[in-house]
Amino acid sequence: MHRLRTTVARLRPLTAAQAALKPRLSAEEPGFRTFRPARRPSASVAAEPFLNGTSSNYVEEMYDAWMENPRNVHKSWDIFFRNVNAGAPPGLAYQSPPALSGTTPGRADVQMAAAARPDVEKLVKDHLAVQSLIREYQVRGHHVAKLDPLGIGCVDLDDAPCAVGFQKVGSYGLSESDMDKMFRLPATTFIGGTDGALPLREIIHRLETAYCQHIGVEFMFINDVDKCQWIRQKFETPGLMRLGLEEKRTLLARMIRSTRFEEFLHRKWSSEKRFGLEGCESLVPALKTIIDVSSQSGVDNVVIGMPHRGRLNVLANVIRKELEQIFCQFESKLEATDEGSGDVKYHLGMYHRRTNRVSGRQITMSLMANPSHLEAVDPVVQGKTKAEQFYSGDTEGKRVMSILLHGDAAFAGQGVVYETFHLSDLPSYTTHGTVHVVVNNQIGFTTDPRMARSSAYPTDVARVVNAPVFHVNADDPEAVAYVCQVAAQWRNTFYKDVVVDLVCYRRNGHNEMDEPMFTQPLMYKKIKKQKGVLKKFAEKLVAEGVVTPQEYEEEVAQYDKICEEAYTRSKDEKILHIKHWLDSPWPGFFTLEGQPKCMRCPSTGIKEEALLHIGNVAASVPERDFTIHGGLSRILKGRADMVSRRVCDWALGEYMAFGSLLKEGIHVRLSGQDVERGTFSHRHHVLHDQNVDKRICVPMNRLSADQAPYTVCNSSLSEYGVLGFELGFAMANPNALVLWEAQFGDFHNTAQCIIDQFISSGQAKWVRQNGIVLLLPHGMEGLGPEHSSARPERFLQMCNDDPDVFPTLIEDFEVRQLYDCNWIVVNCSTPANYFHVLRRQILLPFRKPLVIFTPKSLLRHPEAKSGFDDMLPGSHFLRLIPDDGPAAAGPEQVKRVVFCCGKIYYELIRERKDRGMDDSVAVIRVEQVSPFPFDLVKVETDRYMNADLLWCQEEHKNQGYYNYVRPRIRTTTGRTRPVWYAGRGSAAAPATGNKQTHLMELQLFLETAFNLEGFSGRL
Ligand SMILES: Cc1ncc(C[n+]2csc(CCOP(=O)(O)OP(=O)(O)O)c2C)c(N)n1
Ligand SMILES: [Mg+2]
């Protein structure tokens, strides 16, 4: 009230000139409205009793409309504003509207009218009520929309009752008698089209059409006015949702393909699992519409991730995989030629480039291979999309986009969905909007939604990023096509995520072999009676005269023939090629046969000048007037000092590796929690000005003018999402070093699914290589059970090399062994070796995932330093570092060989020195634990023939490396020599929480390691 009084008191009516400046509707956007600055009528109106606080906005709107054209408002408002402008005294501006034949009142009439004041307050209230009603439709219309083809309404919205509809107008203080009154439409609706006012009955009718039919639009939670207006315009503008004749015919053709494809598979292989699309056949036209519209907007590369449901159909009819290739996957007698295990047909990926018929433009589509683990592929798709954008210079997502498909149960249930959504707007992770499509068949295997989620819709997770959700009844292909058009336009206008929720049903069981009546008897009774969507749609179009029955039948027959012919051709296929199902080819990286171009790895060393140059950049602030923290100045000074002494610590070794690759044109991307500084404050790849907020400098990007870009990015606090993302990023381009660092190695297990399903087994399943690097800080340092172990045992247990077979030591054994393995596991003890292994990752002629257990205390250990000499041309990664002291000089005197890896080496040599046993005990570092360096271990075991062999580790016996290395060392010696153990005993937790116990345990096992009599007499 107060606000209105004071603002109204300041108001003056617009002059004609001002009025002329008012924003007009844009010619391109008929009916599009923009918000206007508030203008108010003159001071005298402050005395009008109906101008209370709640109605002020409304009166302002009326005034605006009146200024535009007096006919826009009800006659009563026209008179009111005329009187105000004519200077009517306070309280007397209002007059009841004239009779139909009446003339415009003059000033004298005003006085008379004041005596017979009608119920003005009701008039305003009614207008406000209508506004509320309009808003209620916009907010909650989706509650009453007819979204469910089965009509069983599984969405529980009881706690948010919806007051829309003709019957509910009473709740707004309106009644039947108001139905034919004209109401001015607020700027927040487009239902009027070109009309500024409508009778209430028509208002409700249009709102029902926009919000309560087969489309339910959920968007009013978006806190951006322009975006809300955009959506209102798309769904409210009369007639906008109607499809043209040609669009309808295309839609029918797509529905025919989608439906008949499943029917064909069912006819030919009735007992094969295929996770058919029956009940959601409109998914195919949905995706095709999204792709068409996106292609028209300039998108030429679409990366798709999807689960099992309807996958073969999408491959056939959206991505256009040759049908015979799909059909021969059903032929169980065909053998696969490729190495590896292969995968079931509904997990395989695919890559295809073709012309989009609607836009006439070339478009590349890839469907990412994925494991059974639902939603795990989401971040992988996003990472690959980001990489495609990055390498093609598409900084705004105008050419490359992703589409993610989801099941309703998985979308609501899997946490990685949420993790992936949270990457969507982060600068180094955004893909500039994803179109999500949910196949919401209202069931997850045998579980009903009410048991599968606590939110009303399966899509509610998307609200965290303000993504609009377009729910649509999938039995209405036209509605589906329309929302998909809008979804694609949204993505290609705002470059933000959007969700299409296809509310459908699952005609069969979870798969074709499954009996759904066990658990959902009533639902399935209903489904059995449900007419197929194609049939319904065809009947509708025939009735409308869009197609003739004969045309329809011909289209069906034509597609059936295509399937039959492809089936015949598929019989000619003799061999299955999994590589035909590759989702990310690397043109030029392999030979035409898909083999590495050579089986050698050149020296990974670099020239002295390069070391000096990179070292100097690492020690500098290459930016003027940039104040860094005093502590960092000391660190940089320390680096400069090391460079002058020609040595590297860990951080500098890493700098040398990244810097040299960048100089050679290799993009390096390091991502993970707090990686920019480094969890242990050792890295400092991003410098922060201490005086200017957000001013940063990345010296690694100042190496040379023609260097590749360096990306270092602190990630969100997610492992599953971020590791998946980086894995996807690494898929796009073999000539990039992509690293993910865990804050502490043990946190990798929240990304276990990515590690197990993609990284360790991805190549075997999908013939797809990947060179991702995992940096996992690891080491027992008395910090407790957490933050200690990166669980080497888990990674080693998944290595594919045979412990019991000593390999044939052919030429290029080292590289061939790497080629054959599923991943490489290393724990480097020196900065130089870390430097080499990072560079080797790129210089190898193929790609393998690399798992590196990285140090914590060694980062600052005075002895864990490497000289430049170990990094010069000719030097290379040392898979095993032999003893180079007195023991090596007199091997026949050596009584014990202690094999180890990682930081325990430094404890061992200190203890050996303290005990004066440098000549009797050899300490050998196995730096590349897997694939196991059988050849080099053999050299060492042969060298020390009189010694016993022992593996020493700081991890517990059932953990760490012991169970992996022991059988391999045994195999190396022909099982003639035992391999003793020194380390912590078996335990459930990775480490003790007590520092004293930690030190005591260390002392105990060092004692075991150096007690040369400890194992005598034992077998
Ligand atoms: C992470 C994960 N957990 C469990 C499963 C087993 N599973 C396979 S399909 C399925 C139901 C999925 O339901 P929904 O997401 O609604 O997809 P729909 O099959 O209904 O299309 C389940 C639980 C799985 N594949 N992945
Ligand atoms: Mg489902």
Side-chain angles (χ1 to χ4, degrees), residues 32 83 86 109 139 150 184 217 220 244 246 352 399 405 475 615 621 711 750 782 793 815 827 949 961 968:
F32 191 87
N83 287 343
D109 305 326
V139 175
L150 300 178
R184 165 79 198 157
V217 194
M220 287 292 280
E246 263 322 298
H352 192 41
R399 298 207 310 276
L405 276 75
D475 259 15
V621 183
T711 310
T750 63
E793 66 277 9
V815 178
N827 188 346
L949 309 177
Y961 318 86
R968 287 165 177 81

Side-chain angles (χ1 to χ4, degrees), residues 490-543:
W490 166 277
R491 190 276 166 187
N492 296 309
T493 301
F494 298 110
Y495 298 98
K496 300 277 178 205
D497 285 30
V498 54
V499 180
V500 174
D501 178 23
L502 294 177
V503 187
C504 56
Y505 58 92
R506 192 187 69 193
R507 185 167 288 284
N508 302 315
H510 176 57
N511 59 56
E512 291 63 30
M513 308 292 94
D514 211 43
E515 175 50 84
M517 291 290 281
F518 285 143
T519 48
Q520 273 76 22
L522 298 185
M523 185 188 204
Y524 273 82
K525 274 183 196 158
K526 194 128 206 186
I527 289 173
K528 275 183 190 149
K529 289 192 207 129
Q530 187 84 358
K531 200 188 254 186
V533 57
L534 173 63
K535 202 155 193 291
K536 279 199 282 188
F537 187 49
E539 284 171 6
K540 177 174 180 282
L541 295 198
V542 168

